[in-house]
Amino acid sequence: MTAELVWFKRDLRIDDHAPLVAAAKKGPVFCLYIYEPELIGADDFASRHLLFINDSLQELDTSLRQLGSRLVICRGDAVRVLANIKAQIGFDCIRVHQETTNGVSFARDRAVLQWASDNGVNVIEYRQNGVVRRLSSRDGWAGQWQAFATAPLVSAPRVLQDGSGDYPSVGVLPPG
């Protein structure tokens, strides 16, 4: 059975993580975090961000291991990392929280969506804030926001089936 890939970006938790819960219901899960040089080198990134990310990644990996899985940490361009994982492990679905931060992450997301489309990979993005992407007008935005803001939190899965095999993890990025 092919694993579903859950890509953790700024959402480094298992509680209230709809992509993780949905993937767990389907079968094996490949949990991924990518250190992306373009994001780390962006003007709005500081060394304290890396320290927080590293602490959060270690806690996330511990939580995932308690459920039966693990976090695979990679470094590099997101499209290249995903293409390499697909070639080595295989997957046909990426579940991820929609990120709405800066132009670098937006360009990255567009490149990943194009790669996924070209390679038969379904990308399912889950909202995690009040921003609604791809609206043709603001009509109906308030209702969508209200529905999102009042929706119940999603409970963490009770168990995960690891889908990462022996795919290597580089571990946390040393500060400096």
Side-chain angles (χ1 to χ4, degrees):
M1 176 180 275
T2 302
E4 291 206 358
L5 191 142
V6 175
W7 180 10
F8 290 86
K9 293 179 184 175
R10 294 178 179 253
D11 47 358
L12 306 176
R13 64 187 186 278
I14 62 168
D15 291 313
D16 197 32
H17 200 290
L20 180 62
V21 171
K25 290 178 182 177
K26 298 285 187 176
V29 181
F30 188 112
C31 298
L32 173 68
Y33 178 81
I34 307 170
Y35 285 110
E36 299 171 78
E38 285 198 3
L39 289 174
I40 292 172
D43 290 340
D44 63 350
F45 194 89
S47 60
R48 67 182 176 275
H49 293 128
L50 183 59
L51 294 173
F52 178 78
I53 290 167
N54 286 347
D55 287 348
S56 299
L57 291 174
Q58 290 169 336
E59 289 179 23
L60 176 59
D61 185 52
T62 298
S63 296
L64 291 170
R65 287 179 187 276
Q66 290 172 350
L67 297 176
S69 189
R70 70 184 179 111
L71 181 65
V72 173
I73 302 172
C74 295
R75 295 179 191 154
D77 171 77
V79 170
R80 287 190 192 118
V81 168
L82 293 167
N84 189 46
I85 294 170
K86 182 165 176 49
Q88 290 189 38
I89 301 289
F91 62 87
D92 56 13
C93 183
I94 299 171
R95 293 182 186 269
V96 61
H97 272 130
Q98 185 182 83
E99 191 173 27
T100 53
T101 56
N102 61 23
V104 175
S105 69
F106 185 63
R108 182 264 334 266
D109 287 348
R110 290 177 59 197
V112 167
L113 288 172
Q114 185 60 58
W115 171 83
S117 176
D118 293 345
N119 288 278
V121 175
N122 186 25
V123 177
I124 303 172
E125 291 183 297
Y126 295 76
R127 286 179 54 201
Q128 66 175 351
N129 59 38
V131 175
V132 181
R133 280 189 177 169
R134 300 174 192 90
L135 288 177
S136 57
S137 78
R138 288 183 53 91
D139 293 344
W141 172 83
Q144 289 186 44
W145 180 88
Q146 185 67 30
F148 174 81
T150 59
L153 298 178
V154 178
S155 298
R158 294 178 186 223
V159 66
L160 290 170
Q161 185 179 354
D162 183 34
S164 64
D166 59 357
Y167 197 87
S169 180
V170 300
V172 297
L173 188 64

